[in-house]
Amino acid sequence: MLHSFSETVQSFLLILALSTCFTAALDLQAKVEKLEKDYDKIKEHLEAKIIVLETKVSLLEAKVEKQDSLLAVLKKGHKPLKDNVDINEHRRHNATLRTCHEIHVANPSYPSGMYWIDPDGQGIGDPPIHVHCAMEEVENNWYQPGTTSMLHDSESKMDIGNCTEPGCYSRQIKYYASDRQIEALIQLSQNCAQNIVFFCKKSPLNYNGIAYAWWNDKDGKRHEFSNWLSTCDKLSDTELIDHGIIRDKRLPYTRFHFSNPFKGSGQHQVSRLRCHGKAKTEAMPASCEDLWRMGHTLNGIYSVRGAKQMETVFCQFDKRPNEQGFQKWIGYVDVKSLPTYFYVRKNTAFNRMNVAIPFEVEKVNVGNAMDLKAGIFTAPRDGIYFFSFNGLASSGPTKETAYSGVGLFLNAIQVGRTWLHEADVTSNHDRPLTLQLTLKLKANDRVWLEITGMAETSFLYDNHHGHNHFTGFMLDEEIANSP
């Protein structure tokens, strides 16, 4: 019986093992089938990816071929490497150049293209700006070599839409430069201009006294087209073109307003702001603005020509000419374009009346304005002058009144006099004569001394010691009137 139980256990274990193996085989088969399905999906996905990649490669090959063709075309007009290096060196080392005009003057061989300029000055104000420089002269065109073109976002045609209320369409012109840089460019240039073109079909700018369109200047002030553009006001069924240009200090255009009251069509196109030349400045600067136009950018104290004489000003060039604190007046400078002062004296007696008193000894005559022998001073410049005469009047004994007088004359007109008299002179008698005047003279005015009155026994006494002295000098020069 024990033997029979053991066989039964073995048979059970064998059946259990066979059952386990069969179950494991079924699980393995399921996993294999799942892997086969996953493989098919992965294969399909990879095949699709390969097709996409092959398509992209084909497109890239086409692009490369096209670029090779373009490169071949560009190489035909390609400048030598040295020219390109020179231009890049110029741009790298000359970032201070403020306009295309200055770049063109620096090297007229530079070609037209995009350049960096800094109108408000290197290292101050706003960053440099990228502009187009037209370096070649165009026949029958406003452009001149060195014309600066300021780019903006409204250079292509812009449709005004279908709104009907006056000015309901509004477009701001956004320039690729700061207001400060634009203003500086205009101030530095001889001329600036900007065009507006309006393509219209039954879209008036003005009609029956109503302004349907206008524009705003740099300060935001409104300007209408009524006295400027009128072609589109005809309400034509065919497309017309209105074209206008502004060349004054209202530039640049900052915003345009249009409307379409009669359900027509309209498009506007705004040109770039174009500036050329160099603003005119006097040879001798009269203000910080003149200095700035000449290219000065360092803050500091400068001498400038004032209304009558040289003046000292503090220039703060990191501000613009129209900004508060750009120029601060400090005071006057004693500057003369032609220094003038003289000192002459006599060494002989003199008693002739109504003629210029001549002098024999010249001690100082800077500027050579004093004619020693003629005794006449000629003013070399407009200005303020000081004159001084010290003389010695002598008289012999006389029962009559002894008297002597000397006058200072300007262009034959007496402007001052010194006089003395004394009665009952019983012996030789000497008395001093003194005269001082400050005069405002014009260039070439003439000044001299004359004896205006003298008794028979009187005269101007002198000898080798020198007793009659005449001195004069320029106090202030009216620099504004100097050559």
Side-chain angles (χ1 to χ4, degrees), residues 6 30 40 58 89 99 122 155 161 166-167 200 239 263 277 314 381 386 389-390 393 401 404 434 440 483:
S6 175
D40 291 338
S58 298
E89 285 296 308
T99 67
Q122 179 192 22
E155 296 180 24
C200 58
E239 185 176 81
K263 300 299 181 181
F314 175 78
R381 299 283 190 269
F386 174 79
F389 170 71
N390 290 281
T401 299
S404 298
T434 303
K440 183 176 182 179

Side-chain angles (χ1 to χ4, degrees), residues 343-352 356-363 372-373 389-391 449 451 460-470:
Y343 165 42
V344 295
R345 71 187 189 194
K346 293 190 68 58
N347 60 13
T348 60
F350 189 79
N351 64 354
R352 292 178 58 192
I357 299 175
F359 292 85
E360 292 78 39
V361 180
E362 177 184 279
K363 305 301 286 186
L372 184 76
K373 294 182 179 180
F389 170 71
N390 290 281
L449 295 167
I451 296 176
L460 293 178
Y461 174 77
D462 222 316
N463 57 25
H464 64 281
H465 293 295
H467 298 286
N468 293 274
H469 311 264
F470 186 26

Side-chain angles (χ1 to χ4, degrees), residues 14-245:
L14 179 60
I15 292 170
L16 180 62
L18 292 173
S19 175
T20 303
C21 290
F22 181 74
T23 302
L26 290 176
D27 291 342
L28 182 60
Q29 181 65 30
K31 289 180 179 179
V32 170
E33 290 177 355
K34 186 175 184 302
L35 287 172
E36 290 177 347
K37 291 179 180 179
D38 290 343
Y39 169 76
D40 291 338
K41 290 180 179 179
I42 292 171
K43 181 180 178 183
E44 291 176 359
H45 178 72
L46 290 175
E47 288 175 347
K49 286 284 188 181
I50 290 171
I51 292 171
V52 171
L53 290 173
E54 288 177 345
T55 303
K56 289 183 176 180
V57 168
S58 298
L59 292 173
L60 287 172
E61 288 175 346
K63 286 184 178 180
V64 169
E65 185 177 351
K66 183 177 180 180
Q67 289 174 353
D68 287 341
S69 299
L70 291 173
L71 184 60
V73 174
L74 290 173
K75 283 182 177 179
K76 292 181 180 180
H78 183 64
K79 290 183 176 293
L81 177 62
K82 185 179 183 303
D83 290 350
N84 290 338
V85 170
D86 288 344
I87 293 171
N88 289 331
E89 285 296 308
H90 166 79
R91 292 174 181 172
R92 184 166 67 89
H93 291 298
N94 296 277
T96 58
L97 295 182
R98 301 176 296 171
T99 67
C100 294
H101 173 79
E102 291 185 1
I103 295 176
H104 177 72
V105 170
N107 192 331
S109 67
Y110 288 155
S112 297
M114 298 299 295
Y115 290 78
W116 289 98
I117 62 172
D118 198 356
D120 68 352
Q122 179 192 22
I124 60 175
D126 293 345
I129 56 177
H130 211 204
V131 299
H132 182 270
C133 295
M135 299 302 193
E136 295 87 16
E137 186 173 3
V138 180
E139 189 175 356
N140 298 324
N141 200 310
W142 185 82
Y143 294 134
Q144 293 184 8
T147 294
T148 305
S149 292
M150 189 79 68
L151 285 65
H152 59 78
D153 67 346
S154 302
E155 296 180 24
S156 60
K157 287 185 179 181
M158 300 285 173
D159 195 282
I160 67 171
N162 297 310
C163 65
T164 59
E165 295 298 320
C168 55
Y169 167 87
S170 179
R171 174 78 181 185
Q172 181 183 1
I173 312 300
K174 296 180 180 179
Y175 296 88
Y176 302 135
S178 66
D179 292 344
R180 177 190 177 96
Q181 291 283 37
I182 295 173
E183 181 183 4
L185 173 65
I186 293 173
Q187 291 173 335
L188 288 170
S189 303
Q190 179 183 358
N191 288 301
C192 292
Q194 194 170 18
N195 295 5
I196 172 67
V197 181
F198 187 53
F199 305 86
C200 58
K201 183 186 293 185
K202 296 183 66 176
S203 294
L205 301 174
N206 304 276
Y207 192 72
N208 284 342
I210 300 174
Y212 288 99
W214 58 87
W215 62 278
N216 299 103
D217 63 19
K218 66 175 182 178
D219 299 317
K221 185 178 179 181
R222 169 175 165 168
H223 301 274
E224 297 179 358
F225 295 101
S226 56
N227 297 323
W228 185 24
L229 305 181
S230 59
T231 302
C232 289
D233 298 344
K234 298 175 182 178
L235 295 183
S236 173
D237 290 326
T238 60
E239 185 176 81
L240 301 175
I241 299 177
D242 247 336
H243 177 276
I245 184 170

Side-chain angles (χ1 to χ4, degrees), residues 241-261:
I241 299 177
D242 247 336
H243 177 276
I245 184 170
I246 291 292
R247 289 190 176 94
D248 56 39
K249 297 301 182 182
R250 295 176 293 175
L251 291 173
Y253 300 124
T254 57
R255 185 179 289 273
F256 284 92
H257 302 262
F258 295 97
S259 64
N260 191 358

